[in-house]
Amino acid sequence: AAAGAGRAAEGERLRIGIVGFGNFGQFLGRVFARQGHEVYGMSRGDYAEAAKALGAAGYVRDGASLMRLKPDVVVLCTSIVSTKQVLLAFPPALLESTLVVDVLSVKAYPKQLLLELLPRSADILCTHPMFGPESGRHSWAGLPFVFETVRASDAHRVARFLRIWERERCVMEEMSCEQHDEYAASTQFVTHTTGRMLGQLSLRSTPVNTKGYEALLSVVDTTCKDSFELFYGLYKFNANAKRELDKMEVALRRLRAQLEQLELESAADDKTKL
């Protein structure tokens, strides 16, 4: 993020554990640390050197070790598909009185999961930073950050975490997880499906590219860089995704039918003229 974004004041600083310290977890951790927060990474793999390089205070390999450090906030940066398994292995009982934040690309699923598995004393903030290491490489300014405060016995702690994103000048979009998923199915999922479908066609750049074609190549490049597991997660864990997929299939069949009908009418006209 931009070097000019501010640091948190002494009383604003948080101790943050990031569960899932792959590319996205490190991407967030770097900014949290730069703002002056005390960051700890946690993953099954060995990312200790990566944690040190980005300014994290430490790195651990299991939930018990992380919770011994008494984090104010635990951020779940796992894949959509593995979230339940990771949470159960943590285990959830260790997260008493902690603010638990998810950053998944679907929202109703983690909201339901956290309400079901976490102790009542744990606060829940469901979020979706709608950018990543590519689009947010230079700055987060102007990029959307969607969130719903699901449970907050400590509202001040939630506000301090949200100020991380405000400090980076994100566009703060507060909405229900259910509303997010409705929007995301017709935007994010349709974009990913279009990119994946075009990717199957092995499209390539040509000397006569139009701007529209270059835009399509960009969609293919962006979506196919993400793992297929992410795409599956967008499909499996957003109740609206199957409906959008059905609509896309119907739309393609309708377009083909219109073309074939016009072709038949044109052939009939040609016969009449003869």
Side-chain angles (χ1 to χ4, degrees):
R7 283 175 66 84
E10 191 70 38
E12 290 278 297
R13 291 177 190 169
L14 294 161
R15 185 172 292 176
I16 304 173
I18 298 176
V19 177
F21 211 60
N23 286 341
F24 196 72
Q26 292 174 36
F27 169 66
L28 296 184
R30 186 172 292 108
V31 172
F32 296 171
R34 181 178 47 68
Q35 285 195 12
H37 301 286
E38 192 177 328
V39 175
Y40 294 91
M42 175 194 144
S43 260
R44 287 174 302 175
D46 186 3
Y47 294 105
E49 286 304 313
K52 185 178 178 181
L54 62 79
Y59 181 78
V60 297
R61 303 284 284 271
D62 63 88
S65 299
L66 180 64
M67 296 315 291
R68 276 196 289 271
L69 298 166
K70 302 192 184 311
D72 304 297
V73 184
V74 168
V75 182
L76 301 176
C77 285
T78 54
S79 69
I80 301 168
V81 175
S82 68
T83 299
K84 183 173 184 178
Q85 179 186 350
V86 170
L87 201 53
L88 288 171
F90 195 82
L94 294 178
L95 292 162
E96 284 189 1
S97 304
T98 307
L99 169 59
V100 179
V101 180
D102 90 274
V103 292
L104 302 190
S105 301
V106 295
K107 294 273 54 80
Y109 168 67
K111 175 182 176 179
Q112 176 189 351
L113 191 67
L114 295 176
L115 284 170
E116 178 188 328
L117 296 180
L118 291 183
R120 288 287 306 166
S121 63
D123 285 347
I124 301 170
L125 179 65
C126 290
T127 79
H128 182 193
M130 301 196 69
F131 51 91
E134 290 292 322
S135 54
R137 187 189 315 167
H138 303 298
S139 172
W140 296 0
L143 300 175
F145 177 78
V146 178
F147 67 97
E148 180 186 356
T149 305
V150 178
R151 191 161 67 207
S153 57
D154 186 342
H156 178 59
R157 180 173 56 184
V158 172
R160 284 157 67 200
F161 182 79
L162 289 175
R163 275 196 283 276
I164 294 173
W165 311 86
E166 291 167 357
R167 217 171 273 118
E168 298 297 322
R169 293 176 292 140
C170 291
V171 177
M172 307 295 286
E173 295 283 359
E174 185 170 10
M175 69 177 68
S176 73
C177 292
E178 293 73 20
Q179 180 67 73
H180 166 280
D181 282 3
E182 193 172 325
Y183 285 143
S186 55
T187 55
Q188 188 182 29
F189 180 71
V190 166
T191 302
H192 275 260
T193 303
T194 301
R196 290 280 172 182
M197 183 171 62
L198 294 175
Q200 298 282 327
L201 302 180
S202 302
L203 302 182
R204 56 191 175 85
S205 189
T206 75
V208 292
N209 287 2
T210 62
K211 290 291 183 187
Y213 185 68
E214 286 182 354
L216 289 179
L217 289 177
S218 177
V219 170
V220 173
D221 182 56
T222 304
T223 54
C224 292
K225 271 182 182 172
D226 288 323
S227 68
F228 198 83
E229 186 183 46
L230 169 64
F231 181 50
Y232 175 69
L234 295 175
Y235 165 79
K236 173 73 174 172
F237 297 102
N238 184 338
N240 304 288
K242 290 182 178 67
R243 181 194 65 208
E244 293 301 320
L245 194 57
D246 289 342
K247 284 164 65 176
M248 291 178 80
E249 287 182 344
V250 168
L252 185 58
R253 285 199 298 270
R254 187 181 295 134
L255 279 172
R256 181 166 190 157
Q258 286 176 314
L259 290 170
E260 290 173 346
Q261 180 62 33
L262 195 56
E263 187 176 39
L264 287 172
E265 290 171 3
S266 177
D269 285 346
D270 287 346
K271 280 185 180 178
T272 305
K273 286 173 186 173
L274 292 173

